[in-house]
Amino acid sequence: MTAIAGDAAGVPRTVLHVISNLDRGGAQEVVATLARELPAHGWRPVVVTLRDGPLRAEIEARGGRVEVIPGRTRSFLSGLAGVREIAAIRRGLDGLVRAQRADVVQTHLLGSLDFLALAVGGERRRPVVVWTVHNARLDLRPDQLPRRQRALLRPKRAAYRLAYRLGARRVDAFVAVSEEVAASVRAAYHPPRDRLATIPNGVDVERYGHEVDRRALRRELGLPAGSRLLTVVAKLWPQKGHAVLLEALAAAPLPDDLHVLLLGEGPERRSLDVRINELGLEGRVHLLGERPDVPAVLSASDLFVLPSLWEGLPMALLEAMASALPVVATDVAGSRQVVVDGETGRLVPPGEAPALRAAIDELLENPVRAGTMGRAARARVVSSFSSVTQAAQHAALYARCLHRRGGSPG
């Protein structure tokens, strides 16, 4: 294990990474990656979540610490009971800050949890607060609410905007995962120039791109040994554009040997299953749910597609490129920062099924060019989007924030 550098006295400082859940997702992978890499830079990371999930085991297996605070069961606007519940969560966060003697609290994902994290710590010992923004769309969206609450979208948006603007005054630094996200943060919160850092997501490149038994995976899935695999790794949310991909796949007959793997779970699963059957794609498109062996599935695949309608900086795209896969992605925030069109993959307009299908066909019909793109994709991730670089940039940001404070919280 890499030695922890620590502060001037050799004692590691503590950073609390606060996130709503530990399900598999891009922001959660960022937290898990930082929990693994930051000790090499003198930081002791503690992951704080409101809901347990499969990533907890991975974090703890690598020596990380996870703390679970009982989560919300009521709406942000549900009256006195909701206020009491949020106050209890806030007390739980504040108690962890004190118990862990946290120097930095870094919060991830949009939601009321972010606002609570911005308010932790008393005046005598307030930690540095870092607010990480993972998506270029900052407003509450209809798909983030249960159907029964969507009539409350406008008042909820107003409440969240007010909470964030008030909370943003206490932020020591914003972290944006892409230049487009940074632009959204500047427009919404107008932070001073030295309080906004753009730190792209990074992946542990050593986990990806290993040789695997391609036939064994196909055998497990009940597919012919010689099948080509087009893979998508993304939560089954409207944002990720699965419906557009299905339209693209159904626009013309698929190559006889092509099978499409959709990895991930989410509220769109049932509707996607229905649509697959309506379009006659059953037996060719496979909903595999969440899998713990994503690196192996990527290594056994031939092409990666991410048809998102909007993004921040997608971890799944970085993981696919680290696996030396040619990629087809949409020309949206984050993805365009990663993919060099025509060199490491293809970029197409979001929501346009014909363009998506044309790019997929182009790479399937030109395997030599696709292979060249895949190798260039891995080289780009290694040079610009590694988890080692990401952690070093975070550690440097924490140090700058502490220096502004005079070296210690409070």
Side-chain angles (χ1 to χ4, degrees):
M1 179 179 290
T2 306
I4 296 179
D7 60 14
V11 178
R13 296 189 182 277
T14 298
V15 52
L16 265 58
H17 286 279
V18 183
I19 192 162
S20 55
N21 64 73
L22 289 178
D23 296 337
R24 295 191 183 278
Q28 290 85 349
E29 291 288 350
V30 169
V31 169
T33 298
L34 288 172
R36 181 175 65 250
E37 299 287 354
L38 281 171
H41 299 276
W43 287 87
R44 184 178 72 93
V46 178
V47 177
V48 181
T49 183
L50 296 188
R51 192 175 76 238
D52 217 338
L55 280 180
R56 179 178 186 171
E58 294 182 20
I59 293 169
E60 292 181 335
R62 294 174 178 266
R65 178 165 183 166
V66 176
E67 297 283 350
V68 181
I69 297 174
R72 290 173 56 198
T73 60
R74 295 178 174 87
S75 165
F76 192 52
L77 301 177
S78 59
L80 184 59
V83 171
R84 287 174 176 167
E85 187 175 69
I86 290 173
I89 296 170
R90 196 267 189 205
R91 287 194 299 272
L93 279 171
D94 195 58
L96 279 173
V97 168
R98 297 174 187 278
Q100 298 294 330
R101 296 189 60 80
D103 300 280
V104 175
V105 173
Q106 184 167 1
T107 181
H108 303 260
L109 294 177
L110 292 172
S112 61
L113 182 61
D114 284 309
F115 174 68
L116 294 173
L118 302 181
V120 297
E123 292 302 319
R124 294 184 61 188
R125 194 179 191 280
R126 190 175 76 85
V128 163
V129 176
V130 177
W131 186 2
T132 307
V133 184
H134 291 266
N135 205 304
R137 294 185 62 172
L138 302 182
D139 246 338
L140 190 67
R141 304 187 308 273
D143 61 282
Q144 293 175 307
L145 296 175
R147 292 187 183 278
R148 65 182 183 278
Q149 293 185 15
R150 290 183 184 175
L152 298 174
L153 179 63
R154 292 182 66 181
K156 276 179 171 285
R157 273 183 174 168
Y160 275 67
R161 285 173 183 168
L162 176 60
Y164 289 141
R165 285 171 182 166
L166 292 173
R169 298 176 183 177
R170 302 193 69 175
V171 174
D172 294 275
F174 288 87
V175 171
V177 301
S178 72
E179 294 297 342
E180 289 92 342
V181 172
S184 294
V185 172
R186 280 192 292 268
Y189 304 116
H190 310 290
R193 186 182 298 274
D194 63 346
R195 302 296 174 96
L196 173 60
T198 301
I199 303 179
N201 293 339
V203 296
D204 180 358
V205 294
E206 300 304 320
R207 291 185 63 201
Y208 298 92
H210 298 290
E211 290 290 331
V212 297
D213 189 338
R214 292 167 59 90
R215 288 177 174 266
L217 178 70
R218 287 155 174 77
R219 187 165 54 248
E220 176 200 336
L221 298 176
L223 304 177
S227 298
R228 288 186 293 172
L229 300 182
L230 183 161
T231 297
V232 181
V233 180
K235 288 188 175 182
L236 304 183
W237 289 349
Q239 169 197 351
K240 297 299 182 178
H242 293 90
V244 179
L245 175 61
L246 295 182
E247 295 294 331
L249 295 174
L254 295 175
D256 292 340
D257 62 345
L258 183 68
H259 286 265
V260 179
L261 310 182
L262 305 184
L263 278 66
E265 279 293 354
E268 294 294 295
R269 182 181 181 112
R270 183 175 179 182
S271 63
L272 290 174
D273 197 21
V274 169
R275 192 65 179 142
I276 287 168
N277 285 278
E278 289 176 346
L279 294 171
L281 295 171
E282 67 276 11
R284 305 300 296 279
V285 178
H286 311 275
L287 289 163
L288 301 187
E290 291 187 350
R291 291 180 64 105
D293 59 344
V294 169
V297 174
L298 291 173
S299 291
S301 299
D302 300 279
L303 177 64
F304 182 85
V305 177
L306 190 64
S308 304
L309 304 180
W310 69 89
E311 278 291 354
L313 197 155
M315 286 291 290
L317 185 59
L318 294 176
E319 292 165 358
M321 293 172 67
S323 303
L325 275 175
V327 300
V328 176
T330 43
D331 190 6
V332 296
S335 296
R336 71 170 68 100
Q337 185 173 332
V338 177
V339 178
V340 180
D341 189 33
E343 182 179 324
T344 65
R346 292 304 315 275
L347 288 172
V348 301
E352 295 191 13
L356 183 62
R357 178 59 187 266
I360 290 170
D361 288 344
E362 175 189 334
L363 295 187
L364 290 176
E365 293 166 4
N366 296 276
V368 173
R369 186 177 184 218
T372 300
M373 285 184 172
R375 291 186 291 274
R378 179 172 170 83
R380 177 161 173 74
V381 170
V382 169
S383 66
S384 302
F385 299 98
S386 77
S387 58
V388 174
T389 301
Q390 179 191 26
Q393 291 176 334
H394 275 83
L397 174 66
Y398 303 157
R400 291 196 299 272
C401 291
L402 286 171
H403 179 73
R404 282 199 298 262
R405 285 278 194 88
S408 63

